[in-house]
């Protein structure tokens, strides 16, 4: 009956967009098949359908001109292993689940298609915030898990020896905050009293510490914030971490506790036998298992479809961010966001944020995109970032940009996290639609997945010898001088500075290359050590880092890669083009 | 002196704590000349982060160095060798692969393979050179694939590390580095599709436009820039466009250029991270330290020279400036420094900046003012004034922003007048 | 009348060249090298070639040895010379000024090292 009601509503949407399509609804999951005239319409139909009450998933198979057809890769049918649980995807979510499951007497394999954990999708390009949950829609799963995850984060960060800092967050309410046409005096009243009251009431409900400050107090604590500020609400426990180091640490700790991680392993098929998951077929071979956890991020919909368990379509949303020189750190004491009403749906608005490494970032933007791998930053995005965040801090030196990047959010059309056992395929667990606040929620997501596995019949017995502690390799720049001296005396490579901007030593780079999950590319080293992340963006250290990689991996220099396959830094040895000419 | 014996010295000089008269930070052309000069009257150590002395000169294998100082056209390594031999002969201590972490009250803390060392110096000379402006600093949109290099990085990769960064290259920026790399890539067998320059005039010396571009029929596209970089794993192409007077891309002029490598020669920035930590005052325009006529900074006993002060176009000028810094640092150490007061030096009409930015009345007979003009001017008159009085003047047939202009003035005259000094360029 | 920019030194004088019969008149040069350059450039343009060759067994981190032609060679032969040098491998030690390749492109000009490179 509910399904019939949903179907009618969807059909109305389809008529609005003049789509030639059929709708079926099963148990709250909407399947749309047919054609529309543009990608825009495809997205809008998906989003509007996702908003209908009672919809638990939108599988949007509408065709539109220019839609890319997926080509199926060939796998290896040969069985190479057996596992109790196979986790697909080595992003922050997959790794958090791996670590959680490593507490139990289980045989767990994590497969990741790229050459590194946390190196592929949203994990490597986000704003590194450990949100409190105040910015999420009330009553959503993502809010619940964010609030829980935030509370778990400090302990996990301590166990894993990764940075975690409660830097605090201002929600600034200024004259620019309310775009509605209202009398000035009413706007001011709303900004000074009503809005802070609503935020604080929410915070109280969620158990998040927050308090209101006056304009005067705000400007005293943040002298560079806009004069147009009317009031602000402060969240002292808003935090930040390093998503790369956190993900790698999760993976390393999981490995120490017995999880097997297979890199460069892409899932090409999942077999289902008698309604239950059977084998996960990868480019390296098949793994027999009873349980599959789909943490494939942007590709979660495609993975689900391999098992015949489609319940959602992922629509990628890009977020671009600018990174500023560390010299700009003095312009703010805490991260901050400018509240804007009306709010853009499913977007906290971004802001001017600190990072654990001492930089400042502006962003992110939010835009629907067609291509799941379009991590370009456009001129329009750069301009928009400047325009959006300048009103928050007009005197900030905007010229001090040292880097920019885009990350892709793996959003579902229902916009909430989808974490549940598949409706039709036993043993297949969805962990999909994990966009922001996925990083903050990751510890709670992992716990939730463990309990779903138990409900689904997996025997889960805690290990006695689980070791929650993972020690990060030494970072000389973060040590006190006496300790640092001792380290350099023991191994001179920690004295030799390779990346001058970020003060990264040869020792750290060698550690990264020979770590549990080896860094085999310039980007993988960059994520672990920060070499090349500073103001010169690697123009000094790249040749040195490349040479260390070549030496440690015992490969010729010209084979060194920036990231994954096909991203070779060089086309060959010097003179190779002249030799080519000599030969022809 | 043979290299091996000096390397032995290198290790011998490694002490966890050392005292020295003059510590020179940076062993490139500026550091070498400063050290050689200072070592005539003082004990000197050079702290160099690279594995050898010579700095950027070692990768500048082309000729064009030393015309003024030696009356010869040397290559970079040849020019470097002359000064390396000088500092070795003078017994200067050399610490290689050693990076200065901080300076506090003339105490330097540096990190190297042999340990972390504290160096107490009576005077410090900052000769830290410059770094290249990056793609990010000029906000070129697009993807971030392999194949995007700053010109200096590409130069090192080809000339020292022996690898080719690309087969078909687009170069942005027509400063000398960009022009020289256009020739270098072409000689190595790569195709340079073109050099793109956002300004209406080339950024480098005219002779380099001739011998690096014209000689090889490489097109120079003035008033053009890169507005997009394409490619997911490696560079696949760029979009170039013409720009208007405000340097904004003009719609409709976009053109896609297929290439696998983008080389950026979009400017140099003095490297002064250590100077800033030491509290040295900076010049917002040069990006370098503010110095007096003896290359001393705002901090007593800390000197600076070379590209760390302002970016030079000729190494000969760096050498002259660095030798002065070395000489004055030695004087300072030996308690022979004189000071008559403090006069400011201002950039007047059509002058972007002047070095030195201040005069302290040191024991120097003729003061050398180095500056850059804001815009090109033919038949120009260069004037140094103290108050309203002209102290020195000279005619130049042409002055261009890419070429540093130098003029000498008598210190005695300035101190007789004791008024603010101004350097101006006007049309005759 | 022809204009060119002298490349003999970084000054880059703008030269104006007039031909009267066989006689060539040069104006705008600040030194005598300018005139020589102009005449040479009209009759047979030549350049110093600077490039690198592979070095084996060298100390330090250099894969390449910087070299130059000890005299100018005809501009048209630069590409040929580069190809000829592509396969050249020099063994350390090398002294600055050592000949690493003789008679490049059959010009009688030698290619010499422009720095020392010690043995490993």
């Amino acid at each position: 009956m509910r399904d019939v009601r949903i179907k009618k509503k969807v059909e109305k949407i389809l008529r609005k967009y003049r789509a030639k399509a059929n709708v079926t609804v099963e148990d709250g999951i909407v399947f749309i098949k047919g054609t529309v005239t543009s990608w825009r319409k495809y997205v809008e139909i998906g989003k509007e359908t996702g908003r209908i009450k009672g919809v638990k998933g939108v599988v949007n198979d509408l065709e539109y001109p220019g839609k890319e057809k997926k080509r199926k890769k060939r796998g290896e049918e040969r069985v190479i292993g057996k596992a109790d649980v196979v986790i697909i995807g080595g992003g922050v979510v997959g790794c958090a689940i791996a670590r959680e499951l490593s507490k139990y007497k289980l045989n767990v394999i994590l497969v990741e298609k790229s050459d590194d954990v946390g190196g592929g999708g949203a994990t490597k390009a986000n704003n590194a915030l450990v949100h409190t949950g105040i910015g999420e829609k009330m009553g959503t799963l993502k809010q619940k898990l964010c609030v829980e995850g935030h509370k778990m984060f400090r302990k996990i960060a301590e166990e894993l020896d990764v940075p975690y800092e409660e830097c605090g967050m201002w929600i600034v309410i200024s004259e620019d905050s309310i775009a509605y046409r209202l009398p000035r005096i009413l706007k001011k009243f709303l900004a000074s009293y009503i809005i802070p009251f609503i935020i604080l009431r929410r915070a109280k409900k969620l158990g998040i510490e927050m308090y209101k400050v006056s304009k005067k107090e705000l400007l005293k604590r943040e002298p560079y914030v806009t004069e147009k500020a009317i009031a602000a609400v402060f969240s002292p426990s808003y935090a930040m971490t390093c998503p790369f180091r956190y993900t790698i640490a999760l993976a390393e700790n999981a490995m120490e506790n017995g999880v097997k991680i297979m890199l460069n392993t892409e899932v090409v098929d999942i077999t289902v036998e008698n309604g239950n998951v059977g084998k996960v077929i990868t480019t390296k071979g098949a793994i027999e298992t009873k349980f599959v956890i789909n943490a494939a991020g942007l590709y979660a919909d495609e993975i689900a479809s391999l098992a015949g368990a489609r319940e959602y379509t992922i629509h990628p949303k890009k977020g671009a961010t600018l990174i500023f020189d560390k010299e700009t750190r003095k312009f703010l004491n805490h991260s901050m966001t400018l509240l804007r009403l009306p709010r853009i749906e499913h977007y906290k608005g971004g802001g001017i944020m600190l990072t654990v490494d001492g930089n400042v970032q502006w962003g992110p933007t939010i835009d629907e995109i067609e291509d799941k791998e379009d991590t370009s930053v456009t001129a329009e995005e750069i301009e928009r970032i400047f325009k959006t965040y300048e009103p928050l801090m007009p005197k900030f030196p905007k010229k001090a940009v040292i880097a920019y990047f885009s990350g892709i959010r793996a959003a579902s059309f229902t916009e909430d996290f989808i974490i549940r056992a598949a409706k039709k395929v036993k043993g297949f667990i969805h962990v999909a639609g994990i966009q922001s606040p996925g990083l903050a929620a990751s510890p709670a997501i992992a716990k939730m997945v463990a309990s779903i596995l138990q409900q689904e019949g997996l025997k889960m017995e805690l290990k006695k010898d689980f070791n929650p502690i993972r020690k990060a390799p030494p970072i000389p720049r973060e040590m006190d001088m006496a300790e640092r001296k001792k380290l350099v005396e023991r191994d001179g490579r920690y004295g030799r500075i390779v990346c001058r901007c970020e003060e990264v030593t040869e020792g750290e780079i060698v550690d990264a290359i020979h770590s549990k999950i080896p860094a085999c590319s310039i980007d993988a080293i960059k994520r672990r050590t920060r070499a090349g992340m500073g103001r010169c963006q690697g123009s000094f250290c790249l040749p040195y880092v490349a040479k260390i990689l070549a030496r440690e991996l015992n490969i010729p220099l010209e084979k060194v890669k920036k990231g994954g396959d096909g991203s070779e830094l060089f086309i060959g040895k010097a003179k190779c083009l002249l030799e080519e000419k000599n030969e022809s | 002196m043979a290299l091996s014996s000096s390397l032995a010295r290198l290790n011998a000089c490694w002490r966890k704590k050392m005292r020295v008269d003059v510590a020179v930070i940076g062993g490139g052309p500026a550091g070498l000349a400063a050290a050689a000069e200072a070592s005539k009257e003082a004990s000197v150590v050079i702290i160099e982060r690279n594995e050898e002395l010579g700095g950027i000169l070692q990768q500048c294998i082309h000729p064009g160095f030393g015309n003024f100082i030696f009356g010869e056209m040397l290559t970079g390594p040849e020019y470097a060798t002359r000064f390396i031999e000088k500092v070795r002969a003078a017994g200067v201590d050399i610490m290689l692969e050693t990076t200065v972490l901080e300076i506090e009250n003339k105490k330097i803390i540096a990190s190297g393979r042999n340990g972390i060392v504290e160096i107490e110096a009576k005077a410090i000379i900052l000769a830290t050179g410059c770094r290249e402006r990056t793609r990010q600093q000029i906000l070129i949109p697009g993807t971030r694939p392999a194949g995007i290099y700053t010109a200096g990085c590409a130069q090192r990769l080809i000339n020292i590390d022996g690898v080719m960064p690309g087969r078909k290259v687009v170069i942005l920026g027509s400063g000398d580095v960009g022009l020289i790399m256009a020739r270098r890539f072409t000689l190595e067998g790569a195709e340079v599709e073109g050099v793109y320059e956002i300004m209406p005039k080339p950024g480098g010396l005219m002779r380099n436009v001739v011998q690096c571009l014209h000689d090889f029929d490489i097109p120079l596209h003035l008033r053009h820039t890169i507005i997009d970089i394409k490619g997911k794993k490696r560079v696949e192409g760029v979009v170039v466009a013409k720009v208007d007077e405000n340097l904004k891309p003009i719609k409709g002029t976009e053109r896609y250029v297929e290439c696998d490598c983008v080389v950026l020669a979009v400017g140099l920035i003095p490297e002064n991270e250590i100077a800033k930590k030491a509290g040295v005052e900076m010049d917002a325009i040069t990006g370098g330290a503010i110095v007096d006529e003896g290359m001393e900074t705002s901090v007593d006993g800390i000197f600076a020279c070379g590209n760390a002060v302002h970016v030079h176009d000729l190494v000969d000028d760096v050498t002259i400036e660095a030798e002065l810094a070395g000489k004055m640092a030695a004087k300072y150490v030996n308690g022979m420094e004189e000071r008559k007061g403090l006069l400011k030096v201002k950039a007047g009409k059509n002058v972007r900046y002047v070095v030195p930015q201040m005069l302290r009345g040191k024991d120097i007979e003729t003061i050398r003012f180095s500056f850059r003009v804001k815009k090109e001017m033919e038949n120009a008159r260069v004037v140094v004034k103290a108050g309203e009085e002209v102290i020195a003047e000279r005619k130049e047939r042409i002055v261009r922003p890419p070429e540093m202009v130098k003029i000498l003035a008598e210190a005695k005259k300035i101190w007789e007048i004791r008024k603010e000094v101004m350097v101006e360029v006007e049309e005759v | 009348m022809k204009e060119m920019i002298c490349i003999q030194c970084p000054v880059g004088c703008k030269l104006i060249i007039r031909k009267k019969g066989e006689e060539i008149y040069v104006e705008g040069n600040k030194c005598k090298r300018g005139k020589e350059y102009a005449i040479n450039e009209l009759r047979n343009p030549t350049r110093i070639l600077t490039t690198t060759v592979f070095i084996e067994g060298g100390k330090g981190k250099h894969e390449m040895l910087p070299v130059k032609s000890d005299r100018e060679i005809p501009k048209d032969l630069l590409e040929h010379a580069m190809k000829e040098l592509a396969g050249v491998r020099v063994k350390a030690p090398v002294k600055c000024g050592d000949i690493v390749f003789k008679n490049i492109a059959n010009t009688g000009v030698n290619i010499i090292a422009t720095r020392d490179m010690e043995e490993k």
Side-chain angles (χ1 to χ4, degrees):
Chain A
M1 310 340 85
R2 188 189 61 182
D3 287 352
V4 175
R5 180 181 57 84
I6 292 170
K7 184 172 179 240
K8 276 192 183 147
K9 286 194 173 167
V10 179
E11 278 167 346
K12 201 173 149 196
I13 294 165
L14 290 169
R15 278 198 298 277
K16 184 168 125 195
Y17 289 99
R18 294 180 190 187
K20 289 181 194 136
N22 291 318
V23 188
T24 48
V25 184
E26 284 175 48
D27 201 8
I29 315 275
V30 181
F31 296 84
I32 310 173
K33 268 198 168 77
T35 54
V36 272
T37 52
S38 74
W39 164 72
R40 271 274 153 221
K41 287 182 183 170
Y42 157 87
V43 174
E44 287 309 320
I45 290 169
K47 283 165 78 175
E48 286 195 28
T49 305
R51 272 184 223 128
I52 298 170
K53 217 176 160 205
V55 168
K56 291 196 175 135
V58 181
V59 178
N60 187 349
D61 277 338
L62 287 168
E63 297 287 329
Y64 53 86
K67 188 172 182 177
E68 215 177 308
K69 293 272 182 307
K70 277 279 155 195
R71 250 176 295 150
K72 219 176 157 179
K73 265 202 186 167
R74 285 183 62 134
E76 271 273 351
E77 301 268 346
R78 184 174 49 92
V79 175
I80 51 162
K82 216 177 156 170
D84 296 318
V85 182
V86 172
I87 301 167
I88 302 172
V92 67
V93 172
C95 292
I97 295 168
R99 191 218 183 210
E100 182 62 29
L101 297 186
S102 75
K103 294 174 182 170
Y104 299 89
K105 289 181 185 164
L106 292 172
N107 178 6
V108 179
I109 297 178
L110 183 150
V111 292
E112 162 59 41
K113 71 171 178 176
S114 79
D115 62 345
D116 199 2
V117 296
T123 303
K124 82 160 179 200
N126 61 74
N127 291 69
L129 295 177
V130 183
H131 298 283
T132 57
I134 189 72
E136 308 305 329
K137 199 169 161 188
M138 293 298 275
T140 55
L141 177 61
K142 61 182 176 185
Q143 184 183 54
K144 175 177 171 277
L145 294 176
C146 181
V147 171
E148 286 173 23
H150 173 261
K151 285 177 183 148
M152 295 158 79
F153 221 100
R154 179 193 291 277
K155 182 165 168 266
I156 290 189
E158 268 167 23
E159 287 172 348
L160 298 178
D161 200 6
V162 294
Y164 172 80
E165 207 184 315
E166 294 193 347
C167 57
M169 170 81 80
W170 295 105
I171 302 174
V172 177
I173 309 153
S174 85
E175 289 167 26
D176 298 320
S177 285
I178 305 166
Y180 299 113
R181 277 183 185 219
L182 294 171
R184 225 184 115 84
I185 185 107
L186 186 56
K187 274 193 184 181
K188 201 145 188 181
F189 179 73
L190 278 172
S192 329
Y193 302 103
I194 305 299
I195 297 168
F197 172 76
I198 294 170
I199 298 172
L200 292 181
R201 199 180 53 178
R202 267 191 181 197
K204 204 173 164 193
K205 222 178 202 172
L206 297 168
I208 303 165
E209 186 200 342
M210 285 186 96
Y211 58 85
K212 184 189 146 183
V213 299
S214 65
K215 173 180 182 172
K216 203 174 142 199
E217 169 83 10
L218 171 68
L219 285 168
K220 209 172 103 195
R221 290 175 63 181
E222 297 285 356
Y224 293 96
V225 92
T226 175
E227 287 283 336
K228 285 181 168 180
I230 296 168
V233 179
F234 188 63
S235 165
S237 63
Y238 230 95
M240 54 188 180
T241 183
C242 170
F244 319 131
R245 288 201 250 165
Y246 170 59
T247 304
I248 289 160
L250 284 168
E252 285 187 1
N253 189 235
M255 283 172 88
E256 278 160 24
N257 288 297
V259 171
K260 188 175 173 194
I261 293 185
M262 293 172 69
L263 299 173
N264 299 305
T265 307
E266 187 172 348
V267 174
V268 294
D269 206 357
I270 297 165
T271 63
V272 178
E273 289 145 28
N274 305 322
N276 201 103
V277 178
K279 275 185 227 153
V280 174
I281 298 164
T282 75
T283 46
K284 293 257 178 80
I287 306 161
E288 289 178 340
T289 186
K290 288 264 164 7
F291 290 92
V292 170
I293 291 163
N294 178 12
L298 282 162
Y299 298 93
D301 50 352
E302 291 165 39
I303 292 294
S305 128
L306 296 177
R310 297 187 64 191
E311 296 177 19
Y312 42 83
T313 297
I314 300 296
H315 64 117
K317 290 193 286 186
K318 183 159 76 161
T321 295
L322 303 180
I323 304 283
F324 291 86
D325 195 291
K326 288 180 179 171
E327 280 184 3
T328 63
R329 176 65 178 78
K330 56 177 180 269
F331 283 84
L332 53 161
N333 294 312
H334 306 283
S335 291
M336 56 183 71
T337 182
L338 181 63
L339 186 90
R340 282 176 197 272
L341 295 174
R343 292 184 72 180
I344 297 173
E345 216 185 353
H346 314 298
Y347 177 45
K348 290 185 280 293
I352 300 182
M353 316 282 189
L354 302 174
T355 73
V356 287
D357 302 297
N359 297 89
V360 175
Q361 49 179 342
W362 283 27
T365 54
I366 193 160
D367 290 286
E368 296 284 345
I369 49 162
E370 218 179 315
D371 178 359
K372 285 178 176 176
E373 282 170 12
D374 175 12
T375 54
S376 67
V377 177
T378 67
E380 189 275 325
E381 282 162 345
I382 293 172
E383 214 171 293
R384 178 146 45 97
I385 294 173
F386 282 135
K387 248 175 72 187
T388 308
Y389 302 107
E390 196 189 4
L392 187 51
M393 197 173 275
K395 285 186 197 135
F396 188 91
K398 292 187 288 295
K399 278 195 174 156
V401 172
I402 62 158
Y404 33 89
F405 63 85
S406 280
I408 316 294
R409 303 173 178 91
S412 66
F413 282 115
T414 44
E415 297 291 345
D416 202 356
F417 294 169
I418 298 172
I419 305 170
R420 62 185 180 226
K423 295 189 187 284
K424 285 184 175 164
V425 181
K426 206 166 159 38
F428 192 88
I429 317 293
H430 300 295
V431 189
I434 313 291
Q435 48 178 321
S436 177
L439 176 62
S442 59
I445 293 173
K447 283 255 185 258
M448 182 173 172
V449 169
S451 73
I452 292 173
L453 282 171
Q454 201 155 23
Q455 283 159 27
E456 291 298 302
L458 181 64
K459 202 178 138 209
M460 296 189 48
E461 201 181 320
L462 279 169
K463 275 180 202 164
K464 283 206 182 73
D465 57 350
F466 171 73
N467 176 14
I469 304 300
R470 173 259 183 192
K471 193 90 198 87
I475 306 172
R477 66 174 176 278
E478 290 177 3
M479 291 177 167
D480 69 56
M481 212 32 103
E483 216 186 334
R484 187 168 177 175
K485 276 182 183 166
K486 251 189 249 162
L487 176 68
V488 179
E489 260 158 53
R490 209 183 68 218
D491 187 337
R493 291 177 297 183
Y494 292 107
R496 165 66 172 139
I497 287 163
V498 175
C499 165
R500 56 176 79 171
C501 304
E502 295 295 310
E503 223 177 286
V504 182
T505 64
E506 183 180 346
E508 292 162 82
I509 294 167
V510 171
D511 281 343
I513 298 169
H514 297 303
S515 61
K516 275 206 171 59
I517 299 158
C520 301
S521 69
I522 298 285
D523 285 349
I525 286 176
K526 187 168 155 182
R527 288 193 292 271
R528 283 165 178 77
T529 67
R530 292 191 61 74
M533 274 203 189
R535 51 174 71 95
C536 95
Q537 286 289 298
S539 48
F540 279 120
C541 67
L542 178 115
Y544 294 92
V545 177
K547 275 200 277 193
I548 295 169
L549 258 172
R551 182 190 76 203
E552 298 294 322
L553 298 176
N554 201 16
I555 57 170
L557 182 57
E558 63 272 20
K559 296 280 176 234
V560 173
K561 289 179 285 191
K562 179 179 183 286
D565 281 343
S567 68
E568 280 74 16
L569 288 172
F570 317 116
I571 57 154
K573 278 198 190 331
K575 315 293 170 193
C576 66
L577 297 174
L578 294 165
E579 295 281 12
E580 259 176 41
K581 285 180 185 168
N582 278 340
E583 275 161 32
S584 64
Chain B
M1 201 190 295
L3 188 69
S4 56
S5 61
S6 77
L7 278 176
R9 279 184 54 87
L10 188 175
N11 288 329
C13 87
W14 257 97
R15 301 180 286 273
K16 299 294 167 217
K17 274 196 178 148
M18 68 185 285
R19 281 166 195 274
V20 70
D21 289 338
V22 180
V24 179
I25 303 175
L32 287 168
E37 198 60 33
S39 67
K40 290 177 183 168
E41 307 287 340
S43 65
V44 179
V45 62
I46 297 178
I47 308 161
E48 164 59 46
R49 53 185 151 200
N50 236 318
E51 65 272 359
E52 66 176 348
L53 293 174
I56 206 79
L57 286 171
Q58 298 290 18
Q59 66 186 57
C60 297
I61 61 161
H62 54 279
F65 305 92
N67 187 49
F68 295 107
I69 292 202
F70 298 112
E72 283 179 74
M73 289 294 248
L74 302 172
T75 65
E78 288 169 327
Y79 191 91
T81 303
R82 297 209 177 179
F83 287 89
I84 293 170
E85 279 168 1
K86 259 194 186 180
V87 299
R88 283 197 186 132
V92 169
D93 272 337
I94 297 160
M95 301 168 96
L96 297 176
E97 292 190 285
T98 306
T99 306
V100 172
L101 302 178
E102 53 193 83
I103 301 175
E104 225 190 294
N105 298 329
K106 307 258 182 69
K107 197 173 83 183
I108 297 168
I109 297 178
S111 178
R113 274 189 211 290
N114 294 316
I116 290 178
V117 65
E118 282 172 27
I119 302 159
E120 265 180 57
K122 290 177 188 154
I124 294 171
I125 301 177
L126 302 167
T128 45
C130 57
R131 66 167 183 271
E132 293 175 277
R133 184 165 278 131
T134 62
R135 171 250 176 115
Q136 288 82 0
Q137 281 171 296
I138 58 167
L139 298 172
I140 302 178
T143 53
R144 294 162 287 139
I148 307 168
Y149 297 97
T150 56
C153 183
Q155 189 178 45
R156 184 187 164 91
L157 289 166
I158 299 175
N159 291 347
I160 291 179
D161 302 323
V163 283
M164 274 307 277
R167 180 180 291 273
K168 190 174 176 189
V169 187
V170 164
I171 297 180
L172 183 65
S174 65
D176 289 319
V177 202
L179 299 173
I180 278 157
M181 285 316 291
R183 173 175 64 184
R184 190 73 194 108
F185 267 106
T186 310
L187 283 173
E188 283 289 326
E191 182 195 337
V192 177
E193 193 276 338
V195 174
Y196 294 81
E197 169 60 54
I198 196 164
M199 302 306 287
K201 302 252 172 169
L205 300 173
M206 275 320 290
R207 86 187 268 264
N208 283 332
V209 176
V210 173
Q211 62 180 353
C212 297
L213 301 187
H214 298 178
D215 272 7
F216 301 94
D217 298 320
I218 299 167
L220 171 61
H221 303 273
L222 297 171
R223 291 185 192 277
H224 273 77
T225 193
I226 297 177
I227 59 163
D228 199 3
I229 297 178
K230 308 262 190 199
K232 275 180 186 160
K233 290 168 176 171
R234 258 203 82 94
V235 173
E236 287 163 22
V238 295
V239 179
V240 294
K242 227 179 142 131
V243 297
D244 62 19
E245 283 73 41
N246 303 317
L247 310 181
K248 293 270 173 268
I250 302 171
K251 276 223 163 68
T253 64
E254 301 88 354
R255 182 166 62 90
Y256 181 71
V257 180
E258 207 179 288
C259 62
D260 67 350
C261 185
V262 180
V263 171
L264 299 162
V266 289
L268 302 169
I269 307 160
E271 263 230 296
N272 280 304
E273 276 39 77
I274 304 164
K276 284 178 199 163
K277 279 191 205 168
V280 169
E281 239 176 272
M282 293 290 144
D283 180 326
I285 297 172
T286 59
I290 291 175
V291 292
D292 67 17
E293 71 271 44
M295 306 310 292
E296 191 170 351
T297 67
S298 62
V299 178
D300 202 55
I302 297 188
F303 296 73
C305 56
N307 282 350
V309 175
H310 56 141
V311 175
H312 295 63
D313 28 83
L314 297 176
V315 75
D316 300 65
D317 289 329
V318 169
T319 301
I320 291 166
E321 194 181 283
E323 282 176 345
L324 175 64
K327 190 175 149 191
M328 297 310 285
K331 271 196 183 182
Y332 173 89
V333 165
N334 295 322
M336 288 159 66
E337 197 190 68
E338 240 180 75
R339 288 186 184 198
K340 292 196 189 80
L342 185 68
L343 293 176
K344 278 191 176 165
V345 181
K346 284 273 155 80
K349 271 178 271 171
N350 196 23
V351 173
R352 203 155 72 83
Y353 72 80
V354 188
V355 171
Q357 293 89 338
M358 60 179 170
L359 304 177
R360 285 186 172 125
K362 291 190 173 168
D363 177 23
I364 294 169
E365 273 176 35
T366 37
I367 298 167
R368 190 179 135 103
F369 294 97
S370 304
F371 64 95
R372 275 176 204 276
V373 293
K374 287 182 183 159
K375 55 181 201 289
E376 191 171 306
M377 202 177 260
E378 284 188 41
N379 300 317
R381 182 168 159 258
V382 181
V383 184
V384 181
K385 283 186 193 160
E388 287 306 303
E389 219 163 310
V390 174
I391 302 296
E393 64 178 312
R394 195 178 72 229
K395 285 210 175 109
E396 285 280 341
R397 222 191 59 212
I398 187 162
V399 286
R400 300 174 60 226
E403 287 159 31
M404 197 203 279
V405 192
K406 284 92 56 178
I407 183 162
L408 302 175
E410 238 181 281
K412 216 175 91 190
K413 283 191 196 166
I414 293 171
W415 287 99
E416 275 165 16
I417 298 162
R418 266 189 188 262
K419 278 185 182 158
E420 190 174 273
V421 175
M422 173 98 82
V423 179
E424 289 180 345
V425 178
E426 40 193 32
E427 242 158 325
V428 186
Chain C
M1 198 187 93
K2 201 177 152 106
E3 281 188 17
M4 62 174 74
I5 287 162
C6 179
I7 61 168
Q8 290 305 97
C9 84
V11 174
C13 297
K14 206 186 213 179
L15 306 177
I16 298 162
I17 301 127
R18 289 194 177 82
K19 250 183 167 178
K20 276 187 192 158
E22 280 304 291
E23 228 15 60
I24 295 174
Y25 296 90
V26 181
E27 281 171 42
N29 53 315
K30 284 186 184 162
C31 77
K32 66 177 197 306
R33 281 194 291 171
K35 187 171 177 183
E36 281 165 30
Y37 169 77
I39 294 169
N40 207 355
E41 200 65 9
L42 286 183
R43 291 184 179 148
N44 174 31
T46 56
R47 300 285 184 266
I48 290 279
L49 173 66
T50 54
T51 181
T52 54
V53 294
F54 286 103
I55 179 116
E56 283 169 359
K59 190 159 192 156
K61 314 222 158 137
H62 290 253
E63 296 294 319
M64 311 305 289
L65 173 73
V67 297
K68 69 175 182 187
S69 58
D70 64 358
R71 275 179 292 135
E72 294 193 338
I73 62 171
K75 200 166 93 174
D76 299 341
L77 292 176
L78 289 175
E79 194 186 338
H80 183 82
M82 284 300 294
K83 285 184 188 165
E84 218 169 61
L85 288 172
V88 173
R89 284 168 188 278
V90 181
K91 278 214 163 62
V94 178
K95 280 270 162 212
C96 184
D98 283 359
I99 296 173
V100 301
F101 195 88
K102 279 187 180 155
N103 190 23
I104 187 79
N106 225 359
T107 54
V109 175
N110 294 330
I111 299 296
I112 58 170
T114 55
R115 64 167 286 168
D116 294 352
M117 205 69 92
E118 278 221 349
E119 222 172 334
K120 223 171 242 174

